[in-house]
Amino acid sequence: MSERVAILLSGGGSNMVALLDSMTGDHPARPALVLSNRANAGGLEKAAARGVPTEVVDHRPHGADRAGFEDALHARIMEYQPDIICLAGFMRVLTEGFVARWQGRMINIHPSLLPKYRGLDTHARALDAGDAEAGCTVHEVTAALDDGPILGQARVPVAQDDTPGTLAARVLAMEHVLYPAVLRRFAAGDRTPVWLP
Ligand code: GRF
């Protein structure tokens, strides 16, 4: 029996595509759902084009009621009975209540070498700090933002003339390698971290 994977996103979904495209052959998981909090997220069309069910749960009608949004999110996700949730550019902070429901079964990709640069603007912050290398991290999701056990990291050298944009593009290319590699292990029940390159 394959593990069923739900992927949550808010944007273009390039990581989602990399994950979907990896789940073939002897991979221990298969996609069950791609869900967005934004109806206009580009990732939804890409998932549908690949024959994967899509859903939208808009956070806006819930206003400041995060628990209300997360209840709706959880209910919609459960219709697809996933075993694993992959966050892939899902731009909503999840509360302890939601995280607890998926503890040990929800993973996220973040564009920095955690524990450095939790939150936003990671590439600009790495450049401002004069870091010689940047990268990305896949980690288990816990209640603390961009925290939780590290399941893999990919390192990318910083070039002298890098801008946040050029660095982001090189890191993103490595995200597309790292995330599928981690998901394959994670879905097989192996939490040994993946270190790239
Ligand atoms: C990626 O940089 C990811 O690390 C971050 O959000 C971005 C999503 O990009 N969490 P995409 O939608 O997968 O192209």
Side-chain angles (χ1 to χ4, degrees), residues 99-171:
V99 170
R101 288 165 162 170
W102 292 97
Q103 188 96 41
R105 299 187 293 150
M106 181 159 60
I107 64 180
N108 178 47
I109 189 153
H110 183 74
S112 77
L113 294 173
L114 290 174
K116 280 189 166 183
Y117 314 130
R118 297 185 170 103
L120 300 175
D121 300 325
T122 54
H123 304 299
R125 289 156 71 198
L127 291 177
D128 286 350
D131 291 354
E133 58 179 10
C136 49
T137 303
V138 178
H139 62 95
E140 273 184 51
V141 178
T142 58
L145 180 68
D146 298 327
D147 201 8
I150 288 177
L151 298 168
Q153 274 185 334
R155 314 184 97 78
V156 172
V158 174
Q160 276 212 322
D161 57 353
D162 260 330
T163 64
T166 60
L167 183 56
R170 279 210 317 290
V171 171

Side-chain angles (χ1 to χ4, degrees), residues 3 5-9 13-25 27-34 46-47 50 52 84-90 106-109 138 172 174-187:
E3 297 285 290
V5 176
I7 303 172
L8 273 51
L9 54 74
S14 68
N15 277 287
M16 176 275 298
V17 168
L19 291 174
L20 290 189
D21 290 350
S22 74
M23 284 186 265
T24 61
H27 197 290
R30 288 291 183 272
L33 167 68
V34 171
K46 293 173 193 162
R50 286 166 172 76
V52 177
I84 295 169
I85 293 180
C86 293
L87 303 180
F90 185 65
M106 181 159 60
I107 64 180
N108 178 47
I109 189 153
V138 178
L172 189 62
M174 286 309 292
E175 294 181 36
H176 300 159
V177 180
L178 179 69
Y179 210 174
V182 170
L183 176 61
R184 178 179 271 271
R185 270 193 194 178
F186 189 77

